[in-house]
Each structure stands twice: as structure tokens, then as C-alpha cells.
Amino acid sequence: MQLHGSLQDLRQDDDTVTLYLQCAKGLFNELVVAGRPISLTDFNLYVFRGLRGEFHDLVTSLSTKDDPLSYSELQSHLSTHEFIHRNSLPSILPTAPLLPTPMQPPLVYAA
């Protein structure tokens, strides 16, 4: 019962999607070994519940599917979303506008 509670209480916080899902999958596997497996639908709901707020729109979309997502499908959707919405992206972009470089005439080689 403690494993089940740990899965229900799992939160992403500052973890990457990969690390968060690895922790969730580890608890899922421990429940299977303990003879207390949970359905894939419940697993997905627990994962959705623990994600950071930036994933809420995606969760709304994913939770409307008729069949539960497999672990690899879930990981793919969440990792793609994390990549696209990564907060560090603006920090790698230049802050000053790029100045155009003057056109250089083509090099002509003497034969």
C-alpha cells in the first residue's frame, strides 16, 4: 500500500520528464513485483497528476484518448512537449539583433 501511495504522491517538481517518468515506472514495476499491479489507465492518471503546470494543456488532450497511452507513447509526448517549451531556449538566443554582414564579392581564382 505504501508503494501505491508513493506513486499517487509523486510530483515532477524540477525533474526532467525522463527522470520523473523513470521514478514513476520504477514504482509501477515494484507494485507488479509486490503483486499489486495497477492498470495503465491509472498509471497515466497518476503521471498526469504529478506533472508541472506547463503540461496541463497537453494532459487535457492526452486524457481524452479512448485507449491508455503506452509508457513509450507517454514518454514521447511528454518529452516532445518539454523540448518545445524548454525554459532555457530564450537564454540561448541572442539578446541583440543580428546585424547584417556586408556582401562579399565572389572569389575569383586565376587559372
Side-chain angles (χ1 to χ4, degrees), residues 30-50:
E30 288 183 49
L31 284 164
V32 170
V33 170
R36 309 277 295 173
I38 62 169
S39 70
L40 194 53
T41 300
D42 287 346
F43 175 77
N44 289 344
L45 289 174
Y46 294 143
V47 167
F48 292 157
R49 182 175 156 195

Side-chain angles (χ1 to χ4, degrees), residues 3 20-32 43 71:
L3 290 172
Y20 173 64
L21 287 176
Q22 286 173 350
C23 291
K25 180 70 169 159
L27 291 168
F28 177 86
N29 291 339
E30 288 183 49
L31 284 164
V32 170
F43 175 77
Y71 178 79

Side-chain angles (χ1 to χ4, degrees), residues 20-96:
Y20 173 64
L21 287 176
Q22 286 173 350
C23 291
K25 180 70 169 159
L27 291 168
F28 177 86
N29 291 339
E30 288 183 49
L31 284 164
V32 170
V33 170
R36 309 277 295 173
I38 62 169
S39 70
L40 194 53
T41 300
D42 287 346
F43 175 77
N44 289 344
L45 289 174
Y46 294 143
V47 167
F48 292 157
R49 182 175 156 195
L51 288 166
R52 290 189 304 261
E54 67 198 61
F55 291 92
H56 287 173
D57 290 341
L58 178 64
V59 166
T60 301
S61 173
L62 295 177
S63 62
T64 61
K65 297 188 176 288
D66 290 334
D67 296 322
L69 296 168
S70 69
Y71 178 79
S72 61
E73 290 171 323
L74 183 63
Q75 183 178 23
S76 176
H77 284 294
L78 296 177
S79 295
T80 300
H81 188 274
E82 179 180 60
F83 175 77
I84 291 170
H85 295 92
R86 185 169 292 152
N87 289 337
S88 62
L89 187 60
S91 67
I92 63 170
L93 297 175
T95 54

